[in-house]
Amino acid sequence: MVISALSVSLSAATGLRVDKIFNGGYESDSEVELMIMSGDSSFLKSNGVSFMQLFKGPSAKYASKIVPLLKADGSKAIGQKVTYDKGRLHYAFYSLPPKTAGKVKINRYICYLDGPKNQLRNVMLLYIEGPITPDKANRLFKSM
């Protein structure tokens, strides 16, 4: 299923390795859910988010594609929370260096979940940007 909340360019995460997942053509897989949100929606505004991309797909099929890209981007993070379960990456939350638009600082985060707590056996990858704080971004991810 492909969900596009608003028509936007899929290049907000450009420069990140995980962009290959969001723009990888996986939306043709019927088991994949891809959501892109941008603009002035009340959901985004109330959460301090200006842009968000979400990918969900079968763990067995996509974890091995996502994890190397995620780790490469995570190596440049300015903050991180990472947990493993039986040697497998279960949870990752990376605060990336902010980007700027004029004089406005835009915070960026990559979030990842795969493991026993994820009952649907899907891997979830989320990219968030906006004035949202790391704690609020982490809570938003955990609520999804």
Side-chain angles (χ1 to χ4, degrees):
M1 168 168 53
V2 177
I3 301 171
S4 181
L6 296 173
S7 178
V8 296
S9 167
L10 297 179
S11 61
T14 296
L16 297 176
R17 300 281 177 98
V18 295
D19 196 37
K20 292 178 183 175
I21 299 301
F22 295 117
N23 295 324
Y26 301 120
E27 65 275 359
S28 61
D29 183 336
S30 64
E31 296 179 288
V32 165
E33 182 179 340
L34 180 62
M35 180 176 66
I36 301 102
M37 294 180 76
S38 179
D40 292 331
S41 80
S42 60
F43 172 79
L44 292 178
K45 279 185 173 181
S46 67
N47 286 293
V49 176
S50 56
F51 184 85
M52 182 170 73
Q53 292 176 297
L54 174 71
F55 173 93
K56 287 184 184 178
S59 177
K61 195 173 193 178
Y62 292 104
S64 64
K65 294 177 184 185
I66 294 171
V67 170
L69 303 173
L70 181 68
K71 286 182 176 181
D73 289 334
S75 70
K76 297 175 183 136
I78 57 175
Q80 64 181 338
K81 295 177 187 175
V82 179
T83 61
Y84 287 83
D85 183 28
K86 298 176 184 165
R88 184 177 175 153
L89 182 61
H90 164 65
Y91 171 82
F93 179 84
Y94 295 112
S95 297
L96 302 172
K99 64 182 186 178
T100 56
K103 294 183 180 184
V104 177
K105 181 175 98 170
I106 301 168
N107 297 323
R108 303 178 312 143
Y109 309 96
I110 303 172
C111 314
Y112 173 84
L113 180 64
D114 181 20
K117 294 179 184 176
N118 187 353
Q119 295 178 9
L120 298 176
R121 298 307 308 151
N122 280 340
V123 64
M124 184 166 57
L125 179 67
L126 179 69
Y127 172 78
I128 304 170
E129 64 179 41
I132 189 171
T133 65
D135 286 339
K136 193 166 182 181
N138 195 19
R139 283 193 308 271
L140 175 63
F141 176 60
K142 288 179 177 182
S143 73
M144 299 187 103

